[in-house]
Amino acid sequence: MTSPPGGSDQGGSSTEPRLPLVCARCGTPADGPQPATWTCSVENGIRQYFCDVCSRENLRAIEGRLDSAWW
């Protein structure tokens, strides 16, 4: 497995501007950086974050690796 150019897969380069984190499903904004209770999903090469409520409501679909468009 290889890492993307510019550093680790734990946040990319330090020069990237940090945008406020928002749930891709319901639009709820995060209180701080990335909350530990949120779920991260990479779909079609795009990293998406889901709040803890949306993650809990769709746990079976997430575990089944269905794209969020299906749930």
Side-chain angles (χ1 to χ4, degrees), residues 6-68:
S8 71
D9 59 354
Q10 298 295 323
S13 72
S14 60
T15 59
E16 274 184 22
R18 291 282 181 176
L19 299 175
L21 196 59
V22 177
C23 177
R25 183 141 181 94
C26 70
T28 300
D31 292 335
Q34 180 183 351
T37 56
W38 283 39
T39 302
C40 177
S41 174
V42 178
E43 299 175 14
N44 298 321
I46 300 169
R47 188 174 293 193
Q48 298 180 345
Y49 293 92
F50 300 98
C51 69
D52 52 348
V53 174
C54 289
S55 297
R56 272 190 233 113
E57 288 176 353
N58 298 288
L59 182 62
R60 289 192 184 267
I62 292 169
E63 288 178 342
R65 298 186 181 264
L66 294 175
D67 282 348
S68 59

